[in-house]
């Protein structure tokens, strides 16, 4: 676990570009944006199968990107690879100009809800507190500052009243919010979410997409795999379309075209 | 019935039991056994939390059986000493653990199947070796434990292992909990997941070995699963799980020690039966996750 001192990053990230400055695909001025995620020519082999090839895009804080592609397109692999869980064969992932693994507490990975053991003996608050561990290291105890951050994360995700509940006693939407609150407690800049909307009912989906908009407005970068083509343009402002290799990347308006979708989902 | 009546009715019986128990406790052998029960019970109960959270109870069962052939082999090669038995046990656990991994990677079998074959074969071979060595009475001790036969050195080994295990687990609790909850989240936070899983495996094996003398390799799984499984039905807090597991393990073992004496039962079997009893009580009566509360939820 990395224990790093705080710098000004957590504050600058988020309030620097409410102006809507667009720098999709390297079109913006990279030098003025320190909080950029740059992926170039990524190639990943997973379990001896080439899972991803020719993935390259650049984006920054304050965006929400839908990662879309058919089943087996490599969405989860890409998220895991961005989170540093699966090593890349070649290519690079730079966060703020450095290889991403070196800033691990700035990246939060949120697995699919189906991958979680919801019977684990932990409460909502306990799970959110886990977000502080990278900052605390292995032994340091919670300070009032840590508690304050946990409180804020719980409040932001509207979990205060259910903070003592065991995590299996939550609805799908509450479970997802608990995970996001953990990422907030971690003071993550980048949230990598694997199918966060899957299994949520309509109101919970709407609630979550509202929270997504708030998180990006605060300046966080959200990248989420998503399988519902209908709802994607309403929730996200960017699109990364893949099927083993990258089909397209851009703003929802530019990139979400019938041709691109057909190319990703069509017969190969 | 008043107190006077009770004491006048059965004063002799009570006195006999008390004197024999206190006589018994005056014996160094019994003192050692009692201490061993407390220590081994606590350490195993503490570790059991991690076994339950990792859902590796069956793997532990397999490994505990694999310890026997290791000990047999060590006796064959180097004669029976504490250290040869310890080394043999570690060797066997590693062989079966890594061997099953190797088998599953180099064939189409999964690791559970590979383990199933390896440990039964090794266990059977161990039985043959121990029979051949003509140390039959010791075979029983390895299989089912003999806590009353513990020497001072055994007690020190058990103490050393317990201390190392509990202190390491406390030191590693934060990364361990994230790892056990979701290995991917842990890895994404920079937790050295593979190293941690080896450390946990190593600690588990050590504690398992320390419990061999108390409960033997067949019953040791019970001591390493039942305490935390009981607490698991009572709490939503992982820390309560390992401290509670330790307390239940230690308490249950000591209670079993006192129970086994007047009843003339084997201590090791009594320990497992008492812990099993605790589990059943929690399963039925747990306010949160018991049989009766399930209907309310």
């Amino acid at each position: 676990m990395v224990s790093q001192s705080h710098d000004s990053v957590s504050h600058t990230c988020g309030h620097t570009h409410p102006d809507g400055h667009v720098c999709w695909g390297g079109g913006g001025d990279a030098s003025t944006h320190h909080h950029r995620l740059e992926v170039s020519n990524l190639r990943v082999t997973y379990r001896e199968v080439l899972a991803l090839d020719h993935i390259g895009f650049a984006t920054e804080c304050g965006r929400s990107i839908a990662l879309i592609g058919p089943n087996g397109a490599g969405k989860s692999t890409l998220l895991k690879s961005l989170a540093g869980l699966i090593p890349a064969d070649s290519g690079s992932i730079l966060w703020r100009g450095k290889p991403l693994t070196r800033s691990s507490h700035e990246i939060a990975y949120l697995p699919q809800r189906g991958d979680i053991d919801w019977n684990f003996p932990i409460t909502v608050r306990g799970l959110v507190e886990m977000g502080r561990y990278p900052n605390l290291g292995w032994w340091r105890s919670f300070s009032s500052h840590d508690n304050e951050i946990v409180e804020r994360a719980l409040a932001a995700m509207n979990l205060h009243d259910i903070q003592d509940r065991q995590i299996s006693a939550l609805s799908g939407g509450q479970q997802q919010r608990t995970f996001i609150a953990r990422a907030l407690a971690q003071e993550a800049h980048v949230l990598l979410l694997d199918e966060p909307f899957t299994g949520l009912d309509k109101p919970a989906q709407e609630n979550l997409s509202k929270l997504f908009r708030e998180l990006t407005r605060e300046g966080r970068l959200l990248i989420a795999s998503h399988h519902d083509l209908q709802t994607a343009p309403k929730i996200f402002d960017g699109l990364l379309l893949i099927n083993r290799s990258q089909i397209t990347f851009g703003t929802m308006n530019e990139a979400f075209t019938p041709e691109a979708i057909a190319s990703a989902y069509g017969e190969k | 019935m008043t107190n006077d009546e009770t004491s006048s009715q059965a004063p002799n019986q009570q006195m006999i039991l008390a004197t024999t128990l206190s006589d018994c406790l005056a014996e160094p052998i019994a003192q050692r056994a009692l201490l061993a029960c407390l220590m081994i019970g606590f350490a195993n109960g503490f570790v059991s939390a991690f076994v339950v959270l990792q859902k590796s109870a069956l793997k532990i069962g397999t490994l505990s059986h694999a310890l026997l052939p290791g000990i047999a082999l060590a006796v064959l090669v180097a004669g029976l000493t504490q250290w040869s038995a310890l080394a043999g046990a570690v060797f066997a656990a590693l062989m079966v653990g890594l061997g099953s991994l190797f088998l599953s990677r180099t064939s189409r079998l999964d690791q559970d199947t590979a383990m199933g074959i390896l440990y039964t074969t090794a266990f059977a071979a161990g039985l043959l070796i121990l029979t051949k060595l003509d140390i039959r009475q010791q075979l029983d001790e390895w299989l089912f434990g003999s806590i009353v036969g513990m020497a001072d050195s055994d007690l020190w080994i058990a103490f050393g292992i317990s201390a190392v295990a509990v202190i390491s687990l406390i030191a590693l609790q934060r990364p361990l909990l994230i790892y056990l909850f979701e290995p991917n989240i842990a890895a994404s936070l920079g937790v050295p997941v593979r190293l941690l899983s080896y450390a946990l495996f190593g600690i588990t094996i050590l504690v398992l070995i320390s419990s061999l003398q108390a409960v033997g390799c067949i019953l040791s799984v019970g001591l390493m699963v039942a305490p935390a499984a009981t607490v698991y039905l009572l709490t939503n807090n992982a820390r309560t799980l390992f401290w509670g597991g330790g307390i239940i393990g230690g308490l249950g073992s000591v209670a079993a020690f006192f129970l086994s004496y007047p009843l003339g039962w084997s201590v090791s079997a009594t320990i497992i039966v008492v812990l099993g009893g605790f589990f059943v009580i929690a399963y039925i009566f747990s306010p949160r996750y018991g049989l009766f509360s399930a209907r309310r939820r």
Side-chain angles (χ1 to χ4, degrees), chain B residues 35-120:
Chain B
L35 249 175
C37 279
L38 185 64
M39 254 169 11
I40 294 170
F42 183 83
N44 273 267
F46 201 91
V47 175
S48 73
F50 297 88
V51 172
V52 168
L53 290 179
Q54 202 180 21
K55 301 181 179 61
S56 56
L58 272 180
K59 201 169 84 187
I60 298 302
T62 307
L63 287 170
S64 71
H65 281 72
L67 299 181
L68 182 80
I71 292 165
L73 210 62
V75 173
L76 189 66
V77 173
L80 182 63
T81 67
Q82 286 311 319
W83 296 108
S84 69
L86 199 71
V90 172
F91 175 74
L94 283 177
M95 286 309 283
V96 170
L98 296 176
S100 61
L101 204 64
F102 180 75
L103 259 184
S104 65
R105 292 220 172 134
T106 53
S107 74
R108 57 183 300 198
L109 295 173
D110 62 282
Q111 203 189 344
D112 279 5
T113 310
M115 254 190 172
I117 299 163
L118 272 184
Y119 97 83
T120 44

Side-chain angles (χ1 to χ4, degrees), chain A residues 68-222:
Chain A
I68 288 181
N71 285 337
K75 300 188 292 282
S76 292
T77 306
L78 178 55
L79 288 172
K80 281 184 180 155
S81 174
L82 292 176
L85 298 173
I86 302 176
D89 298 345
S90 60
S92 66
I93 305 169
L94 300 179
W95 165 246
R96 298 205 281 139
K98 289 180 204 146
L100 195 130
T101 44
R102 290 176 59 193
S103 49
S104 56
H105 82 280
E106 294 182 6
I107 315 293
Y109 171 73
L110 290 78
Q112 285 189 38
R113 280 194 300 124
D115 292 345
I116 299 295
D117 170 17
W118 294 103
N119 282 319
F120 198 89
I122 196 165
T123 59
V124 170
R125 192 184 178 91
L127 203 151
V128 176
E129 282 177 349
M130 269 189 183
R132 296 306 301 155
Y133 289 180
N135 288 279
L136 287 170
W138 291 20
W139 296 293
R140 207 142 45 87
S141 58
F142 268 70
S143 66
S144 55
H145 172 69
D146 295 309
N147 275 324
E148 200 180 298
I149 290 171
V150 168
E151 289 289 336
R152 267 211 304 266
L154 286 167
M157 289 297 117
N158 201 12
L159 295 165
H160 222 275
D161 296 341
I162 51 168
Q163 58 175 307
D164 294 324
R165 263 199 218 166
Q166 199 273 333
I167 52 173
S168 67
L170 303 174
S171 70
Q174 289 167 336
Q175 288 176 339
Q176 203 63 54
R177 270 152 48 206
T178 303
F179 269 92
I180 296 174
R182 182 193 63 82
L184 297 186
Q186 189 185 321
E187 298 182 297
H189 301 233
V190 183
L191 272 63
L192 304 166
L193 307 98
D194 204 345
E195 293 288 352
F197 288 87
T198 299
L200 301 192
D201 58 21
K202 199 108 188 141
Q205 284 195 13
E206 274 161 18
N207 184 307
L208 190 61
S209 61
K210 206 178 95 206
L211 287 172
F212 268 33
R213 281 192 288 276
E214 280 168 26
L215 290 170
T216 48
R217 205 165 35 238
E218 285 169 10
R220 289 191 172 78
L221 169 60
L222 268 58

Side-chain angles (χ1 to χ4, degrees), chain B:
Chain B
M1 205 186 284
T2 64
N3 277 342
D4 287 339
E5 278 172 305
T6 334
S7 50
S8 65
Q9 264 184 7
N12 281 341
Q13 213 179 343
Q14 274 181 359
M15 203 179 289
I16 289 163
L17 191 65
T19 43
T20 43
L21 237 181
S22 66
D23 280 354
C24 160
L25 282 176
E27 293 287 325
I29 288 179
Q31 289 168 2
R32 279 200 291 267
L34 184 58
L35 249 175
C37 279
L38 185 64
M39 254 169 11
I40 294 170
F42 183 83
N44 273 267
F46 201 91
V47 175
S48 73
F50 297 88
V51 172
V52 168
L53 290 179
Q54 202 180 21
K55 301 181 179 61
S56 56
L58 272 180
K59 201 169 84 187
I60 298 302
T62 307
L63 287 170
S64 71
H65 281 72
L67 299 181
L68 182 80
I71 292 165
L73 210 62
V75 173
L76 189 66
V77 173
L80 182 63
T81 67
Q82 286 311 319
W83 296 108
S84 69
L86 199 71
V90 172
F91 175 74
L94 283 177
M95 286 309 283
V96 170
L98 296 176
S100 61
L101 204 64
F102 180 75
L103 259 184
S104 65
R105 292 220 172 134
T106 53
S107 74
R108 57 183 300 198
L109 295 173
D110 62 282
Q111 203 189 344
D112 279 5
T113 310
M115 254 190 172
I117 299 163
L118 272 184
Y119 97 83
T120 44
T121 311
F123 189 74
L127 282 180
L128 290 178
I129 295 174
L130 282 177
T131 326
K132 199 96 193 150
L133 284 173
D134 205 24
I135 43 171
R136 253 199 175 288
Q137 80 285 8
Q138 271 158 351
L139 175 62
D140 272 1
E141 288 176 11
W142 291 115
L143 285 177
F144 300 110
S146 103
I147 204 154
V148 273
M150 284 187 99
D152 268 350
S153 58
D154 298 326
L155 210 57
W156 278 113
I157 290 179
F159 175 74
I161 291 178
S162 304
V164 167
V166 170
I167 290 168
S168 317
L169 290 175
I170 291 172
L172 295 173
Q173 57 173 303
R174 259 183 207 161
L176 266 176
L177 281 181
I178 310 185
Y179 160 66
L180 292 172
F181 177 59
E182 224 293 301
N184 280 322
I185 292 180
S188 78
L189 291 173
V191 172
V193 167
R194 186 166 291 198
L195 205 68
L196 213 56
S197 71
Y198 288 145
L200 186 57
F201 183 70
I203 292 168
T204 312
I205 293 293
L206 273 180
V207 174
L208 199 59
I209 290 167
S210 82
S211 73
L212 279 192
Q213 196 134 22
V215 288
C217 66
I218 293 179
L219 297 177
S220 57
V221 199
L223 193 51
M224 203 174 247
V225 176
T230 306
V231 186
Y232 193 79
L233 297 175
L234 300 168
T235 184
N236 283 332
N237 184 322
R239 273 184 194 84
T240 313
L241 194 63
F242 41 82
W243 287 109
I247 290 167
I248 294 258
L251 254 172
S253 303
V254 168
F257 176 84
F258 285 114
L259 210 62
S260 68
Y261 182 75
L263 294 171
W265 291 356
S266 118
V267 181
S268 53
T270 314
I271 290 176
I272 306 301
V273 167
V274 166
L275 291 176
F278 283 172
F279 173 78
V280 170
I281 292 169
Y283 171 73
I284 297 172
F285 298 109
S286 162
R288 273 203 193 103
Y289 302 111
L291 210 53
F292 294 128
S293 72
R295 247 173 263 157
R296 272 187 278 137
R297 274 190 296 138

